[in-house]
Amino acid sequence: MAWGRIDARTGRQPRFDSLAVPGYLMTEVNYGHRHGLEHPTVTDFPHIIIGGTVQLGRGWSVAVELEYERFRMDGQWANNFRNNYTTNKLYINKQWSEAVNIKASIIDVPVGTTNSGGPALTIYDPLDESTLMPMTWHEGGVAFWGQTKLFHYQAGGYIYTASPLKDSRLLGLTLRGGITPAEGLDLSLSYFYGSSKEGMVQRFNPNLVTFRHLYHAAFDFAYQSDYWTIDGQYLMSDTRRNKAVGLEAGYDVAEAMGLKAYSIIPFARYDGYFHVEGASCNKWTLGLNTSLPLGFTIKAEAGWENPSNADHMMSTDISIGWQGEF
C-alpha cells in the first residue's frame, strides 16, 4: 500500500507536488480475509508514514517521506526490515516560480493515478495499476516540474547507481503533463521508458522483468468536488501491450448532510487487466471510506475478482487508522 501526503478526504497525497507541505504522520492497521485460500487472513501492522518539507530560504527546500509496512500473509509475518522499509522521497528542490522547479535525489516516478498522488478510495493500491507498475514508484534522479492555473508537468531522468560508479547507468526517462480545464477536474498523460533490470521495476514488478527495455503509458483523470470523488485510468505496458483499466466513484454523504467534521464516502470501483502473462482479470469493489474527528479513519470494503488463470476469489478488508499534521 502506498499512501503519501495525507488528504483529509481520500487518504492520499495532493495530486501535484507541493512546496508548502508541513510535517505529517499516518498510521493504520488493516485486516483482511481472502475466502477459499489455505491461509485466508492478511494483517497489515504496523503501517507508518512520516514526512514533510523543510524550507531553507531563497527558493530551496528539502522534502522527505519515510514508510514502514509489515504484513502477515501465507500464515507468517514478513519481518525483514529492509523489505518493509522504504524511503519514498528524499530530495532537494529549487524553485524559481510555481511553474519552474528542479528537484534531485530520490524522487517520484509519476506514471498513473496513484504514483502521481491522485485520489484513491480503496484500502490497498488499485489492482489495475499495481499489476503493471511499482506503487509509490521512486528512483534516484533529477526532474523539472511545475504548474500553473491550467497546466502541470514533470520531466525526469533516473539513474541506477552502482559501485564502482563507472557501472552506474541510465535507468529511464519520464514525462507527465496535464490540464485542469474546469474546477476540480484534471486530465493527464504520462510515460516512462527505461530498463526493467534495475530499480523498483526489477524488485517489485515480476510480471515484466523478462524485458530489457519497457514502457509504461497512462491516461488518467480525476474529478473532486465537495461531494464527488471520481477518477480512473487506462494503462499500457511493455512490448506485449499489456493493458489495464480502472474506474471508481464515491459520494460524500456527510458533506451533503452538512456534517463538516466528518467524511463518509460509500464508493464503487472496477479494475481490469488484460494479456498480463497471458491472463486477464476483472475485479469489482464496494466500500466505505470515512474520516472522523481528531484524525481517525475507518475504511471497509468487499471485492470479487475472476482471474482467467486461477480460481475466482472474494475478499473483505477493514482498516482503522489515524493521520495528522504537525
Coordinates of all heavy atoms in Angstrom, one line a residue, residues 47-116:
H47 N 1.7 -0.1 9.9 CA 1.9 0.7 8.7 C 2.1 2.2 9.1 O 1.1 2.8 9.6 CB 0.8 0.5 7.7 CG 1.0 1.2 6.4 ND1 0.0 1.5 5.5 CD2 2.2 1.7 5.8 CE1 0.5 2.1 4.4 NE2 1.8 2.2 4.6
I48 N 3.2 2.7 8.9 CA 3.6 4.1 9.4 C 4.2 4.9 8.3 O 5.1 4.4 7.6 CB 4.5 4.1 10.6 CG1 3.9 3.2 11.7 CG2 4.8 5.5 11.0 CD1 4.9 3.0 12.8
I49 N 3.7 6.1 8.0 CA 4.3 7.0 7.1 C 4.6 8.3 7.8 O 3.7 8.8 8.5 CB 3.4 7.3 5.9 CG1 3.3 6.0 5.0 CG2 4.0 8.4 5.0 CD1 2.4 6.1 3.9
I50 N 5.8 8.9 7.7 CA 6.1 10.2 8.3 C 6.9 11.0 7.2 O 7.7 10.4 6.5 CB 6.9 10.0 9.6 CG1 7.1 11.4 10.2 CG2 8.2 9.3 9.4 CD1 7.7 11.4 11.6
G51 N 6.6 12.2 7.1 CA 7.3 13.0 6.1 C 7.0 14.5 6.3 O 6.3 14.9 7.2
G52 N 7.5 15.3 5.4 CA 7.3 16.7 5.4 C 8.3 17.5 4.6 O 9.1 16.9 3.9
T53 N 8.3 18.8 4.6 CA 9.1 19.6 3.8 C 9.8 20.7 4.7 O 9.1 21.3 5.5 CB 8.4 20.3 2.7 OG1 7.8 19.3 1.8 CG2 9.3 21.2 1.9
V54 N 11.1 20.9 4.6 CA 11.8 21.9 5.3 C 12.2 23.0 4.3 O 12.8 22.8 3.3 CB 13.0 21.4 6.0 CG1 13.8 22.5 6.7 CG2 12.7 20.3 6.9
Q55 N 11.7 24.3 4.6 CA 12.0 25.4 3.8 C 13.4 26.0 4.2 O 13.6 26.3 5.3 CB 11.0 26.5 3.9 CG 9.6 26.0 3.5 CD 9.5 25.7 2.0 OE1 10.2 26.2 1.2 NE2 8.5 24.9 1.6
L56 N 14.3 26.1 3.2 CA 15.7 26.6 3.5 C 15.9 28.0 3.1 O 16.9 28.6 3.4 CB 16.7 25.7 2.8 CG 16.6 24.2 3.1 CD1 17.6 23.4 2.2 CD2 16.8 23.9 4.5
G57 N 14.9 28.6 2.5 CA 15.1 30.0 2.0 C 15.6 30.1 0.6 O 16.2 29.2 0.1
R58 N 15.4 31.3 0.0 CA 15.9 31.6 -1.4 C 15.4 30.5 -2.4 O 16.1 30.2 -3.4 CB 17.4 31.7 -1.4 CG 17.9 32.8 -0.6 CD 19.4 32.9 -0.7 NE 20.0 34.0 0.1 CZ 20.1 35.2 -0.3 NH1 19.7 35.6 -1.5 NH2 20.6 36.1 0.5
G59 N 14.2 30.0 -2.1 CA 13.6 29.0 -3.1 C 14.1 27.6 -2.9 O 13.6 26.7 -3.6
W60 N 14.9 27.3 -1.9 CA 15.4 26.0 -1.7 C 14.6 25.3 -0.6 O 14.2 25.9 0.4 CB 16.9 26.0 -1.2 CG 17.8 26.4 -2.3 CD1 18.3 27.7 -2.5 CD2 18.4 25.6 -3.3 NE1 19.1 27.7 -3.6 CE2 19.3 26.5 -4.1 CE3 18.4 24.3 -3.6 CZ2 20.0 26.0 -5.2 CZ3 19.1 23.8 -4.7 CH2 19.9 24.6 -5.4
S61 N 14.4 24.0 -0.8 CA 13.6 23.2 0.2 C 14.1 21.8 0.1 O 14.7 21.3 -0.9 CB 12.1 23.3 0.0 OG 11.8 22.8 -1.3
V62 N 13.8 21.0 1.2 CA 14.1 19.6 1.3 C 12.8 18.9 1.6 O 12.2 19.2 2.6 CB 15.2 19.3 2.3 CG1 15.4 17.8 2.4 CG2 16.5 19.9 1.9
A63 N 12.5 17.8 0.9 CA 11.3 17.0 1.1 C 11.7 15.6 1.5 O 12.6 15.0 0.9 CB 10.4 17.0 -0.1
V64 N 11.0 15.0 2.4 CA 11.3 13.6 2.8 C 10.0 12.9 3.1 O 9.0 13.5 3.6 CB 12.2 13.6 4.1 CG1 11.6 14.3 5.3 CG2 12.7 12.2 4.4
E65 N 10.0 11.6 2.8 CA 8.9 10.7 3.2 C 9.4 9.3 3.5 O 10.0 8.7 2.6 CB 7.8 10.7 2.2 CG 6.6 9.8 2.6 CD 5.4 9.9 1.6 OE1 4.6 10.8 1.6 OE2 5.4 8.9 0.8
L66 N 9.2 8.8 4.7 CA 9.6 7.5 5.1 C 8.4 6.6 5.4 O 7.5 7.1 6.0 CB 10.5 7.6 6.3 CG 11.6 8.7 6.3 CD1 12.3 8.8 7.7 CD2 12.6 8.5 5.2
E67 N 8.5 5.3 5.0 CA 7.4 4.4 5.2 C 7.9 3.1 5.7 O 8.9 2.5 5.2 CB 6.7 4.2 3.8 CG 5.4 3.3 3.9 CD 4.6 3.3 2.7 OE1 5.1 3.9 1.7 OE2 3.5 2.7 2.7
Y68 N 7.1 2.5 6.6 CA 7.4 1.2 7.1 C 6.0 0.4 7.1 O 5.0 0.9 7.7 CB 8.0 1.2 8.5 CG 8.2 -0.2 9.0 CD1 9.4 -0.9 8.7 CD2 7.3 -0.9 9.8 CE1 9.7 -2.2 9.2 CE2 7.5 -2.2 10.3 CZ 8.7 -2.8 10.0 OH 9.0 -4.1 10.4
E69 N 6.0 -0.7 6.5 CA 4.7 -1.5 6.4 C 5.1 -3.0 6.5 O 5.9 -3.5 5.8 CB 4.0 -1.3 5.1 CG 2.7 -1.9 5.0 CD 1.9 -1.5 3.7 OE1 2.6 -1.0 2.8 OE2 0.7 -1.7 3.7
R70 N 4.4 -3.7 7.5 CA 4.7 -5.1 7.8 C 3.5 -5.9 7.6 O 2.4 -5.6 8.2 CB 5.2 -5.2 9.3 CG 5.5 -6.6 9.8 CD 6.1 -6.4 11.2 NE 6.2 -7.7 11.9 CZ 5.4 -8.0 12.9 NH1 4.4 -7.2 13.3 NH2 5.5 -9.2 13.6
F71 N 3.6 -7.0 6.9 CA 2.4 -7.8 6.6 C 2.5 -9.2 7.2 O 3.6 -9.7 7.4 CB 2.3 -8.1 5.1 CG 1.7 -6.9 4.3 CD1 2.5 -6.0 3.7 CD2 0.3 -6.8 4.2 CE1 1.9 -4.9 3.0 CE2 -0.3 -5.8 3.5 CZ 0.6 -4.8 2.9
R72 N 1.4 -9.8 7.5 CA 1.3 -11.2 7.8 C 0.5 -11.9 6.7 O -0.8 -11.7 6.6 CB 0.6 -11.5 9.2 CG 0.7 -12.9 9.6 CD 0.0 -13.2 11.0 NE 0.3 -14.5 11.5 CZ -0.5 -15.6 11.2 NH1 -1.5 -15.4 10.3 NH2 -0.2 -16.8 11.7
M73 N 1.1 -12.7 5.9 CA 0.5 -13.3 4.8 C 1.0 -14.8 4.7 O 2.0 -15.1 5.2 CB 0.8 -12.6 3.4 CG 0.4 -11.2 3.4 SD 0.9 -10.3 1.9 CE -0.2 -11.2 0.7
D74 N 0.2 -15.7 4.1 CA 0.5 -17.1 4.0 C 0.9 -17.7 5.4 O 1.8 -18.5 5.5 CB 1.7 -17.2 3.0 CG 1.3 -16.8 1.6 OD1 0.1 -17.0 1.2 OD2 2.2 -16.2 0.9
G75 N 0.2 -17.2 6.4 CA 0.4 -17.8 7.7 C 1.6 -17.3 8.5 O 1.9 -17.9 9.5
Q76 N 2.4 -16.3 8.0 CA 3.6 -15.9 8.7 C 3.8 -14.4 8.5 O 3.4 -13.8 7.5 CB 4.8 -16.7 8.2 CG 5.1 -16.6 6.8 CD 6.2 -17.5 6.3 OE1 6.9 -18.1 7.1 NE2 6.4 -17.6 5.0
W77 N 4.5 -13.8 9.5 CA 4.9 -12.4 9.4 C 6.1 -12.2 8.5 O 7.0 -13.0 8.6 CB 5.1 -11.8 10.8 CG 3.9 -11.6 11.6 CD1 3.4 -12.4 12.6 CD2 3.0 -10.5 11.5 NE1 2.3 -11.9 13.1 CE2 2.0 -10.7 12.5 CE3 3.0 -9.4 10.7 CZ2 1.0 -9.8 12.7 CZ3 1.9 -8.5 10.9 CH2 0.9 -8.7 11.9
A78 N 6.1 -11.1 7.8 CA 7.3 -10.7 7.0 C 8.1 -9.7 7.9 O 7.7 -8.6 8.0 CB 6.9 -10.0 5.7
N79 N 9.1 -10.2 8.5 CA 9.9 -9.4 9.5 C 11.2 -8.9 9.0 O 12.0 -8.4 9.8 CB 10.1 -10.3 10.7 CG 8.8 -10.5 11.5 OD1 8.0 -9.6 11.6 ND2 8.6 -11.8 12.0
N80 N 11.4 -8.9 7.7 CA 12.7 -8.4 7.1 C 12.6 -6.9 7.0 O 11.8 -6.3 6.2 CB 13.0 -9.0 5.8 CG 14.3 -8.6 5.2 OD1 14.7 -7.4 5.2 ND2 15.1 -9.6 4.7
F81 N 13.3 -6.1 7.9 CA 13.2 -4.7 8.0 C 13.5 -4.0 6.6 O 12.9 -3.1 6.2 CB 14.1 -4.1 9.0 CG 14.0 -2.6 9.2 CD1 13.0 -2.0 10.0 CD2 14.9 -1.8 8.5 CE1 13.0 -0.6 10.1 CE2 14.9 -0.4 8.6 CZ 13.9 0.2 9.4
R82 N 14.5 -4.6 5.9 CA 15.0 -4.0 4.7 C 13.8 -4.1 3.6 O 13.7 -3.1 2.8 CB 16.2 -4.7 4.2 CG 16.8 -4.1 2.9 CD 18.0 -4.9 2.5 NE 18.6 -4.3 1.2 CZ 19.7 -4.7 0.7 NH1 20.4 -5.7 1.2 NH2 20.1 -4.2 -0.5
N83 N 13.0 -5.1 3.7 CA 11.9 -5.2 2.7 C 10.7 -4.4 3.1 O 9.9 -4.0 2.3 CB 11.5 -6.7 2.6 CG 12.6 -7.6 1.9 OD1 13.4 -7.1 1.2 ND2 12.6 -8.9 2.2
N84 N 10.6 -4.2 4.4 CA 9.4 -3.5 4.9 C 9.5 -2.0 4.9 O 8.5 -1.3 4.9 CB 9.1 -3.9 6.3 CG 8.7 -5.4 6.4 OD1 8.3 -6.0 5.4 ND2 8.8 -6.0 7.6
Y85 N 10.8 -1.5 4.9 CA 11.0 0.0 5.0 C 11.4 0.5 3.6 O 12.1 -0.2 2.8 CB 12.2 0.2 6.0 CG 12.7 1.7 5.8 CD1 12.0 2.7 6.5 CD2 13.8 2.0 5.0 CE1 12.5 4.0 6.4 CE2 14.2 3.3 4.9 CZ 13.6 4.3 5.6 OH 14.0 5.6 5.4
T86 N 10.9 1.7 3.3 CA 11.3 2.4 2.1 C 11.4 3.9 2.3 O 10.6 4.5 3.1 CB 10.4 2.1 1.0 OG1 10.8 2.7 -0.2 CG2 9.0 2.6 1.3
T87 N 12.3 4.5 1.6 CA 12.4 6.0 1.6 C 11.7 6.4 0.3 O 12.2 6.3 -0.8 CB 13.8 6.5 1.5 OG1 14.5 6.0 2.7 CG2 13.9 8.0 1.5
N88 N 10.4 6.9 0.4 CA 9.6 7.2 -0.7 C 10.1 8.5 -1.4 O 10.1 8.6 -2.6 CB 8.2 7.4 -0.3 CG 7.5 6.1 0.1 OD1 7.9 5.1 -0.3 ND2 6.5 6.2 1.0
K89 N 10.6 9.5 -0.6 CA 11.1 10.7 -1.1 C 12.3 11.2 -0.2 O 12.2 11.1 1.0 CB 10.0 11.8 -1.1 CG 8.8 11.6 -2.0 CD 7.8 12.8 -1.8 CE 6.6 12.5 -2.6 NZ 5.6 13.7 -2.4
L90 N 13.3 11.7 -0.9 CA 14.3 12.4 -0.1 C 15.1 13.3 -1.2 O 16.0 12.8 -1.8 CB 15.3 11.4 0.6 CG 16.4 12.1 1.3 CD1 15.9 13.0 2.4 CD2 17.3 11.0 1.9
Y91 N 14.6 14.5 -1.4 CA 15.2 15.3 -2.4 C 15.3 16.8 -2.0 O 14.6 17.2 -1.1 CB 14.4 15.2 -3.7 CG 12.9 15.7 -3.7 CD1 12.6 17.0 -3.7 CD2 11.9 14.7 -3.6 CE1 11.3 17.5 -3.7 CE2 10.6 15.2 -3.6 CZ 10.3 16.5 -3.6 OH 9.0 17.0 -3.6
I92 N 16.1 17.5 -2.7 CA 16.3 18.9 -2.6 C 15.6 19.6 -3.8 O 15.8 19.1 -4.9 CB 17.8 19.3 -2.4 CG1 17.8 20.8 -2.0 CG2 18.6 19.0 -3.6 CD1 19.2 21.2 -1.5
N93 N 14.9 20.6 -3.5 CA 14.2 21.3 -4.6 C 14.6 22.8 -4.7 O 14.8 23.4 -3.6 CB 12.7 21.2 -4.4 CG 11.8 21.7 -5.5 OD1 11.5 20.9 -6.4 ND2 11.5 23.0 -5.6
K94 N 14.7 23.3 -5.9 CA 15.0 24.7 -6.1 C 13.8 25.3 -6.9 O 13.5 24.7 -8.0 CB 16.3 24.9 -6.9 CG 16.5 26.3 -7.4 CD 16.5 27.4 -6.2 CE 16.8 28.8 -6.8 NZ 16.8 29.8 -5.8
Q95 N 13.2 26.3 -6.4 CA 12.0 26.9 -7.0 C 12.3 28.3 -7.5 O 12.8 29.1 -6.7 CB 10.8 27.0 -6.1 CG 9.6 27.6 -6.7 CD 8.4 27.7 -5.7 OE1 8.5 28.4 -4.7 NE2 7.3 27.1 -6.0
W96 N 12.1 28.6 -8.8 CA 12.2 29.9 -9.3 C 10.8 30.6 -9.4 O 10.6 31.8 -9.2 CB 12.8 29.9 -10.7 CG 14.3 29.6 -10.6 CD1 15.3 30.5 -10.5 CD2 14.9 28.3 -10.7 NE1 16.5 29.9 -10.5 CE2 16.3 28.5 -10.6 CE3 14.4 27.0 -10.8 CZ2 17.2 27.5 -10.6 CZ3 15.3 26.0 -10.9 CH2 16.7 26.2 -10.8
S97 N 9.8 29.7 -9.6 CA 8.4 30.1 -9.6 C 7.6 28.9 -9.5 O 8.1 27.8 -9.5 CB 8.0 30.9 -10.9 OG 8.0 30.0 -12.0
E98 N 6.2 29.0 -9.3 CA 5.4 27.8 -9.3 C 5.5 27.0 -10.5 O 5.4 25.7 -10.5 CB 3.9 28.2 -9.1 CG 3.4 28.0 -7.7 CD 1.9 28.0 -7.6 OE1 1.2 28.4 -8.6 OE2 1.4 27.6 -6.6
A99 N 5.8 27.6 -11.7 CA 5.9 26.9 -12.9 C 7.3 26.3 -13.2 O 7.4 25.5 -14.1 CB 5.5 27.8 -14.1
V100 N 8.3 26.8 -12.5 CA 9.7 26.3 -12.8 C 10.3 25.9 -11.5 O 10.6 26.6 -10.6 CB 10.5 27.5 -13.4 CG1 11.9 27.0 -13.8 CG2 9.8 28.0 -14.7
N101 N 10.6 24.5 -11.4 CA 11.2 23.9 -10.3 C 12.2 22.8 -10.8 O 12.0 22.3 -11.9 CB 10.2 23.3 -9.3 CG 9.3 24.2 -8.7 OD1 9.5 24.6 -7.6 ND2 8.2 24.6 -9.4
I102 N 13.2 22.5 -10.0 CA 14.0 21.4 -10.3 C 14.3 20.6 -9.0 O 14.5 21.3 -7.9 CB 15.4 21.8 -11.0 CG1 16.2 20.5 -11.3 CG2 16.1 22.7 -10.1 CD1 17.4 20.8 -12.1
K103 N 14.1 19.3 -9.0 CA 14.4 18.5 -7.8 C 15.3 17.4 -8.1 O 15.3 16.9 -9.2 CB 13.1 18.0 -7.2 CG 12.2 17.2 -8.1 CD 10.9 16.8 -7.4 CE 10.0 16.1 -8.4 NZ 8.6 15.8 -7.8
A104 N 16.1 16.9 -7.1 CA 17.1 15.9 -7.4 C 17.3 15.0 -6.1 O 17.2 15.5 -5.0 CB 18.4 16.5 -7.8
S105 N 17.6 13.8 -6.3 CA 17.9 12.7 -5.3 C 16.9 11.6 -5.5 O 16.6 11.2 -6.6 CB 18.0 13.3 -3.9 OG 18.6 12.2 -3.1
I106 N 16.2 11.2 -4.4 CA 15.2 10.2 -4.5 C 13.8 10.9 -4.8 O 13.3 11.6 -3.9 CB 15.1 9.3 -3.2 CG1 16.4 8.7 -2.9 CG2 14.0 8.3 -3.3 CD1 16.4 7.9 -1.6
I107 N 13.4 10.7 -6.0 CA 12.2 11.5 -6.5 C 11.1 10.5 -7.0 O 11.4 9.3 -7.3 CB 12.5 12.5 -7.5 CG1 13.1 11.8 -8.8 CG2 13.5 13.5 -7.0 CD1 13.4 12.8 -9.9
D108 N 9.9 11.0 -7.2 CA 8.8 10.2 -7.6 C 8.9 9.9 -9.1 O 9.5 10.7 -9.9 CB 7.5 10.9 -7.3 CG 7.4 12.3 -7.9 OD1 8.4 13.1 -7.6 OD2 6.5 12.7 -8.6
V109 N 8.2 8.8 -9.6 CA 8.1 8.5 -11.0 C 6.5 8.6 -11.2 O 5.8 7.6 -11.0 CB 8.6 7.1 -11.3 CG1 8.5 6.8 -12.8 CG2 10.1 7.0 -10.9
P110 N 6.0 9.7 -11.6 CA 4.6 10.0 -11.6 C 3.8 9.5 -12.8 O 3.2 10.2 -13.6 CB 4.5 11.5 -11.6 CG 5.7 11.9 -12.4 CD 6.8 10.9 -12.1
V111 N 3.7 8.1 -12.9 CA 3.0 7.5 -14.0 C 1.7 6.9 -13.4 O 1.8 6.0 -12.5 CB 3.9 6.4 -14.7 CG1 3.1 5.8 -15.8 CG2 5.1 7.0 -15.2
G112 N 0.6 7.3 -14.0 CA -0.7 6.8 -13.5 C -1.2 7.6 -12.3 O -0.6 8.5 -11.8
T113 N -2.4 7.2 -11.8 CA -3.1 8.0 -10.8 C -2.4 7.9 -9.5 O -2.1 8.9 -8.8 CB -4.5 7.4 -10.7 OG1 -5.2 7.6 -11.9 CG2 -5.3 8.2 -9.6
T114 N -2.1 6.7 -9.0 CA -1.6 6.5 -7.6 C -0.2 7.1 -7.5 O 0.1 7.8 -6.6 CB -1.6 5.1 -7.2 OG1 -2.9 4.6 -7.3 CG2 -1.1 4.9 -5.8
N115 N 0.7 6.8 -8.5 CA 2.1 7.3 -8.4 C 2.2 8.8 -8.5 O 3.2 9.4 -8.1 CB 2.9 6.6 -9.5 CG 3.2 5.2 -9.2 OD1 3.5 4.9 -8.0 ND2 3.3 4.3 -10.2
S116 N 1.1 9.4 -9.1 CA 1.1 10.9 -9.2 C 0.4 11.6 -8.0 O 0.3 12.8 -8.0 CB 0.5 11.4 -10.5 OG -0.9 11.0 -10.5

